[in-house]
Amino acid sequence: MSRALIVVDVQKDFCEGGSVPVGGGADRAAAIARLVRRSAGHRYAHVVATRDHHIDPGSHFSDHPDFQNSFPAHCVAGTEGSAFHPDFAPVVPEAVDEVFYKGAHSASKSGFEGAAEDGTSLADWLRARGVGKVDVVGIATDNCVKATALDGVRAGFAVHVLLDYTAGIAADSTDRAITELRRAGVVLSGEPVVLG
């Protein structure tokens, strides 16, 4: 079985200067771009990316967000904030095999809830290419990275989160996420950036 890299939500709105910034997000965007450039086609048979792509996600957008299930408006389809971070964007046409859009009409934290432009789910896309192992990186450790990793395990993949290539919203929620991931059987390595 081959291994794929899943890059989660490395978008402008989740990095410094965005509408829901995660401390260290921009630094991680640059680090992930370097990882993809040196590993695509070598360590990884495939590289995919997920994007928050909100149209009308209901209560996921809130004027009084709890920053767990509700957030200020972010990654609205067609806006500048929904674009990939400029340090990561150049590697997308170079080395990313597919982009999976999630959350048009829901919160949709997990990349496994997303679909490619042709409607193919992430799990189906990976299985069709013989992928059995996935490494997960991106933003945020304690939100969409966690949800993607947990859904990857549920879908039957061997999941490894590279914490050195993630950024967390807050220390306490990142610690809880790491504990939850370990209990689910996710392999973890490195340390996340947490500047919140």
Side-chain angles (χ1 to χ4, degrees):
M1 286 190 183
S2 60
R3 182 182 298 274
L5 178 67
I6 303 173
V7 179
V8 177
D9 298 358
V10 181
Q11 293 167 263
K12 288 184 177 182
D13 270 348
F14 297 135
C15 297
E16 292 84 347
S19 63
V20 188
V22 177
D27 179 67
R28 296 301 80 199
I32 291 167
R34 291 191 296 271
L35 173 68
V36 170
R37 284 192 171 106
R38 72 172 180 264
S39 302
H42 305 288
R43 176 172 171 77
Y44 301 113
H46 301 284
V47 178
V48 299
T50 70
R51 281 179 71 172
D52 255 16
H53 184 75
H54 295 306
I55 296 170
D56 182 13
S59 61
H60 185 53
F61 285 177
S62 174
D63 292 332
H64 306 286
D66 63 15
F67 293 95
Q68 291 298 317
N69 296 304
S70 61
F71 294 84
H74 60 276
C75 297
V76 174
T79 65
E80 184 69 15
S82 72
F84 287 120
H85 187 275
D87 286 336
F88 177 68
V91 305
V92 175
E94 295 170 11
V96 173
D97 299 303
E98 189 61 82
V99 176
F100 294 84
Y101 297 85
K102 60 189 180 68
H105 300 284
S106 66
S108 198
K109 295 179 182 181
S110 169
F112 284 92
E113 297 175 272
E117 287 188 350
D118 68 1
T120 304
S121 73
L122 175 55
D124 287 347
W125 192 97
L126 294 169
R127 288 189 190 109
R129 288 155 181 81
V131 173
K133 303 173 184 176
V134 296
D135 288 1
V136 182
V137 300
I139 307 169
T141 319
D142 39 351
N143 201 307
C144 294
V145 168
K146 178 187 82 169
T148 300
L150 292 174
D151 275 358
V153 170
R154 291 183 193 108
F157 296 95
V159 180
H160 180 192
V161 173
L162 308 179
L163 293 171
D164 287 343
Y165 296 92
T166 69
I169 297 167
D172 58 345
S173 55
T174 298
D175 288 344
R176 288 194 302 271
I178 288 170
T179 298
E180 190 174 350
L181 290 166
R182 276 203 186 97
R183 287 178 179 159
V186 174
V187 175
L188 302 168
S189 61
E191 295 291 333
V193 170
V194 183
L195 301 177

